[in-house]
Amino acid sequence: MRVDARGFTFEVTVGGPTDGVPVLLLHGFPQHSGEWDDVVPALHAGGLRTYALDQRGYSPGARPTAVADYRIPELVADVVAVLDALGLDAVHLVGHDWGAIVAWAVAAGHPERVHTLTAVSVPHPAAMAHALANDSQQKARSSYIALFRKPDKAEKVLLAFNATALRKMLGGVGDANRYADPMREPGALTAALNWYRAMSRADLAAVGPVAVPTTYVWSDRDIAIGRTAAEACAQNVTGDYRFVQLPGVSHWIPDAAPAPLAEAILARAGGTA
């Protein structure tokens, strides 16, 4: 379905029982709402109603051109406005990768709209800041961001030779074409990369502690997020907190391990709305 909010049109995939407790799913880079396709059947069976949002830059009708339009406060405002448009007062919130960063920020800044939070792969921004300051391995893991922040050059590198680098980056998702091909559409990859280009220390530091019940799901073969950042996450949650580690799984948890991820979401969301 299409949802009009903040002057844009967002694509939202809805499923599950019509009277189910609502769950909003936020995807990461360079994916889209389809990354939840193998996760949602178990959520529906558990009685949850799912709303998988194609976020700003990924929905063709919500693709502004200015880098500043992709700052974290704008991404958070989109989520709140979409919830308003859907008539949802509060949801169980789930986010992966960049979607996790947005989810952390929504939960911290708008706790009244969030029953519970399940963050996948990427920890609280303060935990990342701690790791980048104290762990040389995390600095190395995050070095790719420097390329992503370079206009034009990143696009050329990632899309060259039939998007070979982009497809290689997506190793572990199964069919990488389902994510790489949409990024080859005019303006799509630039919009997605603008999330990195608009990122600032000030916006990340503005994400405060999270008080809602929270589960953080991390995989020990994540090439982007190391153990230092993962274990520091607990220090930034004041509500009930669970750390779920998935052994032998890559960064692409919703694609690579949908069953245990769905189990973690259901364990967190069950009976808490």
Side-chain angles (χ1 to χ4, degrees):
M1 67 181 296
R2 293 180 177 175
V3 175
D4 293 327
R6 306 190 70 210
F8 298 112
T9 300
F10 293 90
E11 305 290 335
V12 182
T13 302
V14 184
T18 56
D19 60 348
V21 177
V23 178
L24 183 66
L25 302 160
L26 305 177
H27 65 83
F29 173 89
Q31 299 175 278
H32 49 66
S33 60
E35 77 166 90
W36 303 106
D37 287 353
D38 292 335
V39 178
V40 294
L43 304 185
H44 299 162
L48 300 179
R49 178 82 164 167
T50 60
Y51 299 82
L53 171 65
D54 281 322
Q55 298 185 82
R56 176 177 294 228
Y58 295 85
S59 286
R63 193 171 286 166
T65 57
V67 170
D69 289 332
Y70 294 85
R71 291 179 56 214
I72 291 173
E74 297 293 340
L75 308 173
V76 169
D78 288 345
V79 170
V80 174
V82 167
L83 292 180
D84 289 342
L86 291 170
L88 300 175
D89 293 332
V91 294
H92 296 289
L93 185 59
V94 181
H96 171 245
D97 186 77
W98 255 107
I101 295 177
V102 177
W104 284 113
V106 172
H110 301 273
E112 74 283 357
R113 308 304 297 266
V114 181
H115 293 309
T116 70
L117 168 65
T118 301
V120 187
S121 297
V122 175
H124 190 284
M128 278 297 297
H130 166 80
L132 287 168
N134 296 282
D135 184 4
S136 59
Q137 290 188 1
Q138 186 59 59
K139 292 180 182 179
R141 289 173 185 266
S142 300
S143 60
Y144 69 92
I145 294 175
L147 170 63
F148 286 5
R149 288 171 65 88
K150 295 179 179 178
D152 297 326
K153 182 176 181 179
E155 286 88 337
K156 290 178 181 177
V157 170
L158 292 173
L159 294 179
F161 305 108
N162 194 32
T164 296
L166 188 61
R167 296 174 200 279
K168 183 178 181 180
M169 186 186 75
L170 286 161
V173 302
D175 181 12
N177 293 331
R178 69 192 301 245
Y179 301 124
D181 287 348
M183 288 291 99
R184 300 175 69 193
E185 297 173 3
L189 181 58
T190 294
L193 289 168
N194 278 344
W195 287 48
Y196 291 93
R197 293 163 184 167
M199 181 175 61
S200 70
R201 290 183 180 180
D203 285 348
L204 291 170
V207 181
V210 170
V212 305
T214 297
T215 294
Y216 172 50
V217 183
W218 175 73
S219 46
D220 64 4
R221 292 194 180 180
D222 192 319
I223 62 171
I225 307 296
R227 184 172 295 277
T228 298
E231 293 184 347
C233 192
Q235 302 169 20
N236 300 281
V237 181
T238 60
D240 180 69
Y241 178 72
R242 301 171 192 168
F243 176 41
V244 176
Q245 179 177 327
L246 302 181
V249 178
S250 73
H251 175 79
W252 313 105
I253 293 175
D255 290 277
L261 175 56
E263 182 179 349
I265 296 169
L266 287 166
R268 173 50 73 193
T272 56

